[in-house]
Amino acid sequence: MSISSRFAVGVHILTLIEFNKDGVSSSEYLAESVNTNPALIRKIIGMLKKAELVEVHPGIAGANLAKKLSEITLLDVYKAVNVVPENELFSVHENPNPKCLVGRNIQETIIPILSIAQLAMEKVLGSVTIEDIFEAIVEKEKQK
Amino acid sequence: MSISSRFAVGVHILTLIEFNKDGVSSSEYLAESVNTNPALIRKIIGMLKKAELVEVHPGIAGANLAKKLSEITLLDVYKAVNVVPENELFSVHENPNPKCLVGRNIQETIIPILSIAQLAMEKVLGSVTIEDIFEAIVEKEKQK
DNA sequence: TTGATTGTAATTAATATAGTTACATGTAAC
DNA sequence: GTTACATGTAACTATATTAATTACAATCAA
């Protein structure tokens, strides 16, 4: 199964807040660009807020970045929006038979390997910042 | 969300078939070690068969490996059991607003990055064989 | 006080997982 | 050929997650 699009939407939101830094990024404004519902945006914004990536206040329209663009990585967003349980990208079957040689050793054998695979993926996300996304969009737009 | 345990079960099955190479690895036998249902094992074995990792025949008890241990990687198993749609570990929201600068560029900007992250993870899986798992279990068992 | 916005709970439809039952199909052995 | 047994599948269930949506209390600015 795929990792929830909450992650991609989170990246979209943060990037758009920056492009709109001189305007007001309300949940309705952001929802229009993502093409979804303001309530969904508020839910994701709430997660980004808890992770201290954005600042937003009840009753006051608009969200703002809480950090510099270059200090927010895709990994930060990925962790903020909870798309993958900590260290459990791969699920492993519970209760293999301890009476079987394989059953009693399989978990401790494969979990470290799966963890390395997961970390390799997350390392890539950690190497890309929202600033990189911002700049890439500026470049792509120039070519149009 | 996590990747289905079908993958871990597939690895378990293949490893156990090797340990039991002189015996008959029926779906019931394998199910007992995994601690699940024979029908579920047969479903997964069916996928491994389609990927030409095991040999199994209707009416004849037992599954056997179709390749050498060292020629089956975890990536082969991962692909065989269909736990992740091809090149779509990450799902991306559909139909972002083309009228918005970010909306019309976000997909083509992040998809290649997400793809690199996915490939980094899969590369790790491709570097580990069932033989490695087999040997690791032999070692772990010695220490008990 | 009014009007607009955020925060959050509740609901729905669609989809995937994991477990289970049931049975048709296929094979070997008697 | 009949019996016993195993595989291959379809169908069904319970559970969980996603994404979309509605509704409304709490909060703040004007």
Side-chain angles (χ1 to χ4, degrees):
Chain A
M1 207 186 177
S2 289
I3 290 172
S4 166
S5 66
R6 272 201 307 279
F7 172 42
V9 172
V11 174
H12 185 147
I13 288 172
L14 293 172
T15 308
L16 181 50
I17 289 174
E18 177 68 15
F19 272 106
N20 189 42
K21 70 197 298 188
D22 296 330
V24 175
S25 296
S26 66
S27 62
E28 191 177 341
Y29 170 80
L30 297 169
E32 203 168 315
S33 172
V34 173
N35 195 19
T36 183
N37 204 285
L40 192 62
I41 297 293
R42 290 198 289 272
K43 198 183 294 183
I44 295 173
I45 290 257
M47 293 175 169
L48 298 175
K49 178 186 185 179
K50 191 182 277 184
E52 298 180 0
L53 301 181
V54 301
E55 284 173 358
V56 56
H57 305 279
I60 305 176
N64 294 288
L65 299 183
K67 295 187 178 182
K68 277 192 277 186
L69 266 198
S70 60
E71 289 172 352
I72 302 176
T73 69
L74 297 198
L75 183 60
D76 294 327
V77 182
Y78 161 96
K79 294 203 168 180
V81 297
N82 254 314
V83 282
V84 168
E86 184 77 26
N87 206 29
E88 284 189 29
L89 172 61
F90 297 91
S91 55
V92 174
H93 54 300
E94 303 292 323
N95 311 315
N97 192 340
K99 292 182 198 158
C100 170
L101 171 61
V102 175
R104 68 174 165 268
N105 288 292
I106 190 72
Q107 289 187 332
E108 51 180 311
T109 301
I110 63 174
I111 287 176
I113 295 168
L114 301 180
S115 181
I116 290 170
Q118 176 173 352
L119 289 172
M121 180 270 278
E122 293 177 351
K123 188 177 172 187
V124 173
L125 298 186
S127 72
V128 179
T129 68
I130 298 294
E131 184 175 37
D132 296 329
I133 306 296
F134 183 93
E135 297 295 347
I137 289 180
V138 169
E139 284 307 309
K140 282 191 194 297
E141 190 65 18
K142 273 188 194 166
Q143 294 163 12
K144 286 185 178 173
Chain B
M1 207 186 176
S2 290
I3 290 172
S4 168
S5 65
R6 272 202 307 278
F7 172 42
V9 172
V11 173
H12 185 148
I13 289 171
L14 294 172
T15 309
L16 181 51
I17 289 174
E18 176 69 14
F19 271 106
N20 188 43
K21 71 197 299 187
D22 296 331
V24 176
S25 297
S26 66
S27 62
E28 191 177 341
Y29 170 80
L30 296 170
E32 203 167 316
S33 172
V34 173
N35 195 21
T36 184
N37 205 286
L40 192 60
I41 296 293
R42 290 198 290 272
K43 200 183 293 182
I44 295 172
I45 290 257
M47 292 175 168
L48 297 174
K49 180 185 185 179
K50 190 182 278 184
E52 298 180 2
L53 301 181
V54 301
E55 284 174 356
V56 56
H57 305 279
I60 305 176
N64 294 289
L65 298 183
K67 296 187 177 182
K68 276 191 276 186
L69 267 198
S70 60
E71 289 172 351
I72 303 177
T73 69
L74 297 198
L75 183 60
D76 294 328
V77 183
Y78 161 96
K79 294 202 167 178
V81 297
N82 254 314
V83 283
V84 169
E86 184 78 24
N87 206 28
E88 282 189 29
L89 173 61
F90 297 91
S91 55
V92 174
H93 54 300
E94 303 292 324
N95 311 315
N97 191 339
K99 291 182 199 156
C100 170
L101 170 61
V102 174
R104 69 174 164 266
N105 288 292
I106 190 71
Q107 290 187 333
E108 52 180 311
T109 301
I110 63 174
I111 287 175
I113 294 169
L114 301 180
S115 181
I116 290 170
Q118 176 172 352
L119 289 172
M121 180 271 278
E122 293 176 352
K123 188 177 173 187
V124 173
L125 298 184
S127 72
V128 179
T129 68
I130 299 294
E131 185 174 37
D132 296 328
I133 305 294
F134 182 92
E135 298 295 347
I137 288 180
V138 169
E139 285 306 311
K140 282 192 195 297
E141 190 64 18
K142 273 187 192 166
Q143 294 162 11
K144 289 185 175 171

